Amino acid sequence: MSRSETTVIVVGAGPAGASLAYLLASRGIPVTLLERHHDFSREFRGEVLLPSGFEALREMGLHNIVTTIPHVVPTAFELYANGRPVFQVPFNADTFGSSPLTALSQPAFLKAIIERTRTLPHFRVELGVTVNELLRADGHVTGVALRGPSGDQTLHSDLVVGADGRNSIVRRACNLQAHKHGIDFDIVWFKTPLPEYIGDQAPFRAYFGRRHLLIAYPSADGFLQTAWIIHKGTYGELRRRGISEWIEEMAHHVTPDLATHLRAHKGSLTNPFLLSTVSDRVTHWSAPGALVIGDAAHTMSPVGAQGINIALRDVVVAANHLVPVLRQPRASQRIAAATEAIEHERTPELALMQRFQSIPPRLVMGHTVWAAAFRTMIPRLLQFEMVRRRAAATALPTFLFGHGDVRLQV
């Protein structure tokens, strides 16, 4: 078994892990990035970049990557209730400023970040490796034991950062307990060819009604991405009925143009799968010698497309606290203080965002009298401009721009 050392080990080369590795290495901190996959040519879900995430990339100096990879800038948001149009809002500078909502190719995005980071002398990346356990000494995490193409090895560090998603090995090995926030539901997730009705537009559509919610938008790879949000545990029955029947079920909840498109392509869905959603947050983000960020610290509901954006904001805050202490020798106590400060600074935004995310599913899919009344009245009320403005002013700024000022200070 071979042994090597670095200052920071980042487990997981998703948006949080790759961008944190870039920031640390670009500030002279030796960092090793570990990823269990051999490449990034696989299906990702968090591919919508909001102004909050775009601004975090701008702070890191990585925002120009977006224009060099496949991406789509939606032209408008269209809301439908029970298959009927409620309103359409153009995506323009008045709403988004200089950071438009962007559907990007996450595989291309991650590859571009890592290729840029490879040019830095303090960076090393290992793909196709699996972290089996964390190393410990005197109650502190001191590195990882991993298996890769060259066999078993140990890698020692001053800090291990878990950016390895909702099933994080770092989170589990450190016994970081999480509490759920909001309700669980399932998402039927698939792609079809772009429908003819889109033309040269790129609308972001949302359909709700009869306790269903469906979202469809053009993806960066030239397909129509569809997410059908259903009640937890109901997918088994749909699958037993066959694709034709659940496509027909979806068709009953959307406009005729999308319904015709879904029926025409029911035999050629691309990458269909069931995503079991959860919204949770660890009660503590760190243990001695270890830290979790991104989905490893807080699994976000897909409502409001917050996952990648919140993760990028985590990275900026983490770099602000970690870089100064990691530049100093024998910094274990200062590292512990820094990881606690990261949690303290990030928790208010996470708590607020997860609270906001929990509201739409309860209203759109809930069984209560209040939820039923909402589904009946809201389509009528949203036809009035004043109501739309008031509703947008309540939560939209938080969803788009985040809560609190996140600026890179190192």
Side-chain angles (χ1 to χ4, degrees):
M1 179 180 289
S2 63
R3 170 192 172 107
S4 58
E5 295 186 0
T6 185
T7 301
V8 179
I9 298 169
V10 178
V11 183
S19 54
L20 179 61
Y22 168 77
L23 279 185
L24 296 179
S26 66
R27 270 64 180 172
I29 309 297
V31 56
T32 298
L33 178 63
L34 306 177
E35 169 57 44
R36 65 186 179 91
H37 292 94
H38 292 275
D39 56 41
F40 301 106
S41 57
R42 60 191 189 276
E43 186 71 18
F44 289 89
R45 292 172 289 278
E47 297 183 322
V48 176
L49 198 63
L50 299 175
S52 61
F54 198 95
E55 288 304 313
L57 287 177
R58 195 188 304 278
E59 292 291 312
M60 301 179 210
L62 295 173
H63 60 290
N64 55 354
I65 283 178
V66 175
T67 60
T68 68
I69 63 175
H71 67 284
V72 174
V73 178
T75 54
F77 174 74
E78 300 175 357
L79 181 67
Y80 299 84
N82 300 318
R84 298 179 179 179
V86 177
F87 66 82
Q88 180 188 79
V89 178
F91 287 145
N92 52 37
D94 291 339
T95 304
F96 291 91
S98 60
S99 305
L101 183 149
T102 304
L104 53 80
S105 167
Q106 194 172 127
F109 176 67
L110 297 176
K111 183 179 179 181
I113 293 177
I114 290 174
E115 288 306 311
R116 181 174 295 189
T117 313
R118 284 183 192 272
T119 65
L120 302 172
H122 299 285
F123 175 71
R124 180 162 65 102
V125 60
E126 294 192 25
L127 302 178
V129 299
T130 301
V131 173
N132 294 322
E133 61 178 326
L134 302 185
L135 306 177
R136 288 183 169 83
D138 299 325
H140 282 69
V141 174
T142 59
V144 302
L146 58 89
R147 173 168 294 178
S150 58
D152 293 339
Q153 60 178 300
T154 59
L155 181 60
H156 291 259
S157 65
D158 295 332
L159 176 67
V160 174
V161 178
D164 46 342
R166 62 164 73 183
N167 298 312
S168 168
I169 179 66
V170 178
R171 170 167 155 175
R172 186 166 61 251
C174 291
N175 196 29
L176 301 178
Q177 301 299 311
H179 290 295
K180 287 187 176 182
H181 300 270
I183 63 174
D184 296 341
F185 49 86
D186 290 334
I187 299 179
V188 180
W189 190 266
F190 62 92
K191 292 179 180 180
T192 61
L194 282 177
E196 292 183 2
Y197 69 76
I198 285 184
D200 60 353
Q201 300 298 304
F204 191 108
R205 289 185 171 187
Y207 297 86
F208 78 92
R210 298 185 288 272
R211 294 175 50 223
H212 282 264
L213 178 61
L214 184 143
I215 295 169
Y217 61 91
S219 61
D221 55 2
F223 287 84
L224 183 74
Q225 179 70 72
T226 301
W228 185 29
I229 300 170
I230 59 177
H231 287 278
K232 195 76 174 177
T234 59
Y235 180 66
E237 174 61 24
L238 287 172
R239 189 170 57 180
R240 283 189 292 271
R241 289 161 54 187
I243 289 180
S244 294
E245 286 204 30
W246 60 259
I247 287 291
E248 195 61 35
E249 181 75 16
M250 274 188 282
H252 286 310
H253 298 281
V254 299
T255 44
D257 54 1
L258 181 54
T260 299
H261 178 76
L262 292 174
R263 291 178 179 124
H265 293 278
K266 63 184 178 184
S268 57
L269 305 184
T270 301
N271 299 327
F273 65 89
L274 178 72
L275 173 63
S276 179
T277 70
V278 65
S279 176
D280 67 16
R281 187 169 73 251
V282 293
T283 54
H284 297 288
W285 290 39
S286 61
L291 168 72
V292 290
I293 61 172
D295 276 1
H298 46 73
T299 306
M300 304 299 291
S301 161
V303 174
Q306 291 298 313
I308 186 174
N309 302 283
I310 289 288
L312 293 173
R313 289 165 68 82
D314 284 355
V315 169
V316 173
V317 173
N320 285 341
H321 291 283
L322 291 176
V323 169
V325 300
L326 292 172
R327 284 173 171 165
Q328 304 175 42
R330 295 185 295 277
S332 59
Q333 289 186 342
R334 289 186 290 270
I335 290 174
T339 58
E340 291 178 3
I342 293 165
E343 175 188 343
H344 179 75
E345 185 172 343
R346 293 299 296 139
T347 295
E349 180 176 36
L350 266 298
L352 179 64
M353 197 67 72
Q354 289 182 323
R355 186 162 64 249
F356 278 162
Q357 286 184 309
S358 70
I359 296 172
R362 294 183 190 278
L363 295 176
V364 173
M365 305 173 68
H367 296 274
T368 66
V369 173
W370 294 110
F374 169 86
R375 292 191 293 270
T376 299
M377 295 301 299
I378 201 63
R380 303 173 188 174
L381 293 174
L382 287 176
Q383 292 178 353
F384 296 98
E385 178 70 18
M386 183 179 68
V387 175
R388 293 201 300 270
R389 288 181 179 274
R390 184 66 180 269
T394 302
L396 189 60
T398 298
F399 273 122
L400 293 182
F401 301 100
H403 175 67
D405 194 30
V406 173
R407 303 289 179 188
L408 190 64
Q409 299 167 1
V410 292

